[in-house]
């Protein structure tokens, strides 16, 4: 763009001097070359800075729209939208796990919400490290999380669910120097044909309730056919 500006300036100067003056001269040509550079450089720099700022702002907006600010994993809206694409596509199967931290209210009551937030971050980190790619993990709200395992059968999903449960149990959570064991209950639902996320979630959530009623710190999945 700078080069084009210089060429246009030189051509305009030559035409102007040939028409309205005694002819083309060197000082005029030098001015026609230097002026676009002096004026255009700062303008191009300003434009580049503005473009980079806009790109950064758009990236921040995208992150705010998709990432949970506390746990740094997908928020409910982004997670459910991503899972919806998977589970409504033809010829796809997968398993949705719904995970809930056990007795989490007591953590907030005993140690305060700041330490409760720390526990949620630790749990989210454990989930992220445990699931295989291209699995998805998100925070569904409060102390509830979701994991979606595309193209996974029930046997594989049960193994991963138990790995998640053990990973959370292994978290060294000691707020104010007091040992506070963490555990999660997990319910799951599988699909082998297109299904809406809401329907899949309801089925997994019902099994989560069953896991809670059965004593917590356990996994409840449908029986394999």
């Amino acid at each position: 763009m700078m080069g084009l500006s210089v060429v246009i300036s030189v051509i305009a100067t030559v035409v102007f001097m040939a028409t309205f003056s005694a002819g083309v001269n060197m000082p005029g040509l030098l001015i026609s070359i230097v002026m676009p550079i002096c004026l255009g450089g700062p303008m191009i720099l300003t434009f580049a800075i503005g473009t980079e700022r806009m790109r950064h702002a758009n990236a921040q907006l995208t992150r705010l729209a998709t990432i949970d600010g506390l746990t740094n994993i997908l928020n409910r809206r982004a997670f459910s939208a991503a899972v919806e694409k998977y589970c409504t596509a033809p010829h796809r199967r997968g398993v949705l796990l719904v995970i809930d931290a056990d007795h989490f209210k007591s953590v907030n009551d005993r140690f305060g919400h700041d330490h409760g937030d720390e526990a949620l971050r630790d749990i989210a980190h454990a989930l992220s490290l445990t699931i295989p790619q291209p699995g998805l993990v998100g925070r569904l709200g409060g102390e509830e999380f979701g994991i979606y395992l595309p193209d996974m059968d029930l046997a594989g999903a049960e193994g991963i669910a138990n790995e998640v449960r053990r990973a959370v149990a292994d978290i060294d959570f000691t707020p104010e120097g007091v040992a506070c064991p963490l555990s999660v209950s997990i319910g799951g639902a599988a699909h082998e044909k297109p299904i809406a996320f809401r329907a899949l979630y309801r089925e997994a959530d019902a099994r989560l309730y069953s896991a809670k009623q059965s004593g917590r710190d356990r996994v409840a999945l449908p029986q394999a056919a």
Side-chain angles (χ1 to χ4, degrees):
M1 184 174 290
M2 177 72 73
L4 179 61
S5 298
V6 171
V7 170
I8 293 173
S9 177
V10 169
I11 292 172
T13 301
V14 169
V15 172
F16 181 85
M17 288 189 297
T19 304
F20 299 103
S21 67
V24 178
N25 58 72
M26 187 56 66
L29 284 176
L30 289 175
I31 292 173
S32 70
I33 294 171
V34 172
M35 286 298 292
I37 296 174
C38 293
L39 295 176
M43 292 178 63
I44 291 175
L45 179 61
T46 301
F47 177 78
I49 292 173
T51 301
E52 178 59 23
R53 285 178 176 173
M54 184 175 294
R55 187 198 64 78
H56 180 71
N58 287 336
Q60 288 293 98
L61 288 173
T62 300
R63 179 176 176 80
L64 289 172
T66 58
I67 301 297
D68 178 64
L70 176 64
T71 58
N72 206 35
I73 58 177
L74 293 174
N75 59 30
R76 183 186 183 98
R77 181 177 180 180
F79 177 80
S80 60
V83 176
E84 184 86 15
K85 289 183 179 179
Y86 270 107
C87 63
T88 57
H91 312 300
R92 298 298 295 267
R93 66 174 180 172
V95 178
L96 174 66
L97 303 176
V98 178
I99 301 110
D100 191 76
D102 296 327
H103 305 294
F104 193 75
K105 184 177 182 299
S106 67
V107 176
N108 285 328
D109 291 344
R110 290 172 62 195
F111 303 107
H113 287 276
D114 284 346
H115 287 298
D117 289 348
E118 179 187 348
L120 292 176
R121 285 191 292 268
D122 288 345
I123 292 172
H125 184 63
L127 268 57
S128 297
L129 291 179
T130 305
I131 65 168
Q133 295 298 324
L136 300 169
V137 59
R139 185 184 180 198
L140 301 180
E143 62 272 19
E144 187 174 89
F145 300 86
I147 288 175
Y148 182 73
L149 303 168
D151 302 315
M152 180 72 67
D153 58 20
L154 280 170
E158 184 173 11
I160 291 170
N162 279 302
E163 286 183 29
V164 167
R165 188 177 58 82
R166 288 190 292 267
V168 172
D170 288 341
I171 293 173
D172 182 19
F173 182 59
T174 53
E176 301 175 7
V178 179
C180 180
L182 299 174
S183 68
V184 292
S185 298
I186 302 173
H191 73 97
E192 293 189 349
K193 59 183 180 180
I195 184 174
F197 170 79
R198 184 175 298 179
L200 193 64
Y201 173 80
R202 280 198 299 265
E203 185 179 342
D205 193 51
R207 289 198 172 85
L208 171 63
Y209 179 79
S210 175
K212 291 281 192 182
Q213 292 298 105
S214 300
R216 294 181 169 84
D217 191 19
R218 61 193 60 214
V219 174
L221 294 178
Q223 295 297 313

